Amino acid sequence: MQNLKQKAWIYLENGTFLEANSFGANGTVVGEIVFNVSMSGYQEIMSDPSYAGQFVTFTAPEIGNVGVNAEDMESKAAHAKGMIVRKYQERYSNFRAEGSLADFLKEQNVMGICDIDTRYITKMLRTEGAMMMIASTEVGDKAELKKILEASPRIEDVNYIEQVSTKVPYKHTQSVYNDREFKYDAAPTPEANIVVLDFGVKTNILNELVAANIGVEVIPNSFDGDELVKRYNAKEIDGVFLSNGPGDPLVLKNEQREIKKLIDAKVPMFGICLGHQLLSIAHGYDTYKLKFGHHGGNQPVKNLKTGLVEITAQNHNYNVPNNITEVAEVTHVNLFDNTIEGLKYNDAPIFSVQHHPESSPGPKESRYIFNEFLSLIKR
């Protein structure tokens, strides 16, 4: 059993200095600290590429109790800088578990901080906003940690897409998880074919696209917009999906330029999270940073078409501006702060959502959106 008595220290850019214990990888790591209000799915959260560059503070007090397993990974690796929890439970109990969370974090070289007041941290982040921090099992001096943090790049200065995007194109043929047979379903016969622009796509988003009878080809973020337009005009593909991903979308100048080519060619497109933000920027409407973002699987969103409230999973710090209504219709609104959650662009076969409708982890109320994409590209 991992010795939880090894000390760890945290220093935040607002001057807060905290002592805790470590249950993950050793080292000294800098990242942005956010909080996540999900009650389950810690493995999916840690392996979501959208969390690259961030420390995730979990508001659920007990973490680790169901262990980890290979099937629940949302990508090939854990991309978050670390996780901060109130209490780590080493004794996991689940029939699907293949190992402990602590061992997983050490294998992935990700920090795990426990025995700390996460309610205090969450309240501070809600008041002061997301901020940079440093965690260390090696350095316990506040002044030295402050010095290292101030000399390190901020999250908005780093292009994390280059780290999380695939390097080679590939076909994705796995469908959604079958909780009766405890395995992933095989792909149904596709009714249309798309290209996925991989900015850090979650595996379950690809699964949901496949389950909606869509053939999926995933390509790197270094895509050529002109080549995709040619493939669309030649009827090799029927549309383009823009994935979720980490970091500040304003940094991604090359991606914005190539997406603009797709917009001008009226290629049918659907974007989620970072993809939603990049579509806004490519239309000429720059995103802005929220105070502490939306992170968790219990975020209420109102569908303005149906009038229904959908409970959604979310992970983002950036949002599209309100004046985007000059070129698009708002389809979904966040009921926590009335920010825009969904758009349908005027006179263009393009729509997008800010939340993650694939429910991993989280509710399944927004899965219909993938079928709407199929309807769009078939038209």
Side-chain angles (χ1 to χ4, degrees):
M1 182 176 291
Q2 171 76 9
N3 179 11
L4 297 184
K5 297 304 179 182
Q6 181 174 0
K7 290 298 180 184
W9 296 270
I10 292 176
Y11 178 81
L12 281 67
E13 66 176 306
N14 67 353
T16 300
F17 179 61
L18 302 168
E19 183 178 294
N21 287 316
S22 167
F23 68 95
N26 294 324
T28 301
V29 179
V30 172
E32 182 181 53
I33 182 171
V34 297
F35 65 89
N36 186 296
V37 295
S38 293
M39 298 301 292
S40 63
Y42 54 77
Q43 181 182 347
E44 291 95 325
I45 291 167
M46 296 306 291
S47 58
D48 178 352
S50 295
Y51 280 107
Q54 294 179 321
F55 282 88
V56 184
T57 302
F58 286 80
T59 58
E62 294 275 350
I63 298 293
N65 53 311
V66 294
V68 297
N69 68 81
E71 285 189 328
D72 288 349
M73 293 291 288
E74 284 300 321
S75 63
K76 293 181 179 179
H79 295 283
K81 293 283 189 177
M83 62 192 307
I84 301 171
V85 307
R86 176 65 187 93
K87 183 178 180 182
Y88 167 63
Q89 179 54 256
E90 174 73 12
R91 295 179 62 187
Y92 59 89
S93 177
N94 186 277
F95 74 100
R96 296 177 65 234
E98 298 170 352
S100 72
L101 175 59
D103 288 341
F104 169 75
L105 293 180
K106 288 185 288 183
E107 291 168 3
Q108 297 289 322
N109 196 32
V110 173
M111 297 197 75
I113 308 296
C114 64
D115 300 330
I116 195 167
D117 190 345
T118 51
R119 180 175 292 183
Y120 166 77
I121 293 175
T122 301
K123 288 181 177 179
M124 178 171 55
L125 295 177
R126 285 180 58 86
T127 301
E128 302 186 33
M131 65 185 78
M132 296 299 292
M133 63 157 278
I134 182 171
S136 180
T137 58
E138 305 163 325
V139 181
D141 180 72
K142 177 179 178 180
E144 181 64 20
L145 291 172
K146 181 175 185 290
K147 181 180 177 181
I148 298 172
L149 178 60
E150 291 176 345
S152 301
R154 301 184 63 82
I155 191 169
E156 54 265 27
D157 298 327
V158 181
N159 184 347
Y160 282 103
I161 307 301
E162 297 293 343
Q163 299 179 22
V164 300
S165 178
T166 184
K167 302 305 178 188
V168 294
Y170 65 93
K171 296 288 183 70
H172 184 86
T173 58
Q174 175 181 274
S175 186
V176 294
Y177 191 75
N178 187 322
D179 56 12
R180 293 184 178 181
E181 299 183 11
F182 302 111
K183 66 178 183 178
Y184 286 92
D185 289 335
T189 302
E191 299 177 27
N193 295 290
I194 65 164
V195 160
V196 171
L197 306 182
D198 181 12
F199 306 126
V201 68
K202 292 178 67 177
T203 298
N204 211 47
I205 286 179
L206 300 177
N207 295 345
E208 291 285 358
L209 288 167
V210 169
N213 297 333
I214 298 173
V216 172
E217 177 189 354
V218 185
I219 66 173
N221 67 302
S222 56
F223 65 96
D224 184 331
D226 292 324
E227 178 63 26
L228 291 182
V229 171
K230 289 179 182 178
R231 293 185 65 185
Y232 173 70
N233 290 334
K235 301 187 184 305
E236 294 179 15
I237 59 173
D238 301 294
V240 172
F241 172 77
L242 291 75
S243 84
N244 63 294
D248 187 344
L250 292 174
V251 173
L252 308 177
K253 302 300 183 185
N254 293 335
E255 289 83 352
Q256 296 163 24
R257 182 186 64 248
E258 299 305 310
I259 291 169
K260 183 69 165 60
K261 296 176 182 178
L262 304 179
I263 294 172
D264 292 342
K266 294 190 179 299
V267 175
M269 286 189 283
F270 168 37
I272 286 177
C273 201
L274 182 69
H276 165 79
Q277 297 159 12
L278 285 170
L279 283 169
S280 174
I281 298 168
H283 276 89
Y285 295 82
D286 286 355
T287 52
Y288 66 96
K289 190 168 187 176
L290 297 167
K291 186 174 183 179
F292 48 80
H294 302 145
H295 309 275
N298 50 13
Q299 312 278 318
V301 168
K302 185 173 183 179
N303 183 324
L304 299 183
K305 290 183 178 180
T306 65
L308 298 177
V309 176
E310 303 166 10
I311 304 303
T312 68
Q314 306 207 14
N315 170 25
H316 64 104
N317 272 348
Y318 298 89
N319 218 78
V320 303
N322 289 333
N323 65 338
I324 199 169
T325 54
E326 296 170 357
V327 297
E329 172 193 358
V330 177
T331 59
H332 298 76
V333 173
N334 189 296
L335 294 184
F336 279 155
D337 56 12
N338 292 317
T339 52
I340 294 172
E341 286 280 351
L343 293 169
K344 180 183 181 300
Y345 285 86
N346 302 334
D347 305 318
I350 303 171
F351 76 105
S352 61
V353 293
Q354 182 59 74
H355 50 281
H356 289 203
E358 95 300 340
S359 71
S360 187
K364 300 180 179 181
E365 297 172 19
S366 298
R367 294 175 68 186
Y368 66 89
I369 292 174
F370 295 98
N371 292 319
E372 289 188 351
F373 186 35
L374 176 64
S375 298
L376 173 69
I377 55 183
K378 289 181 69 175
R379 286 199 299 268

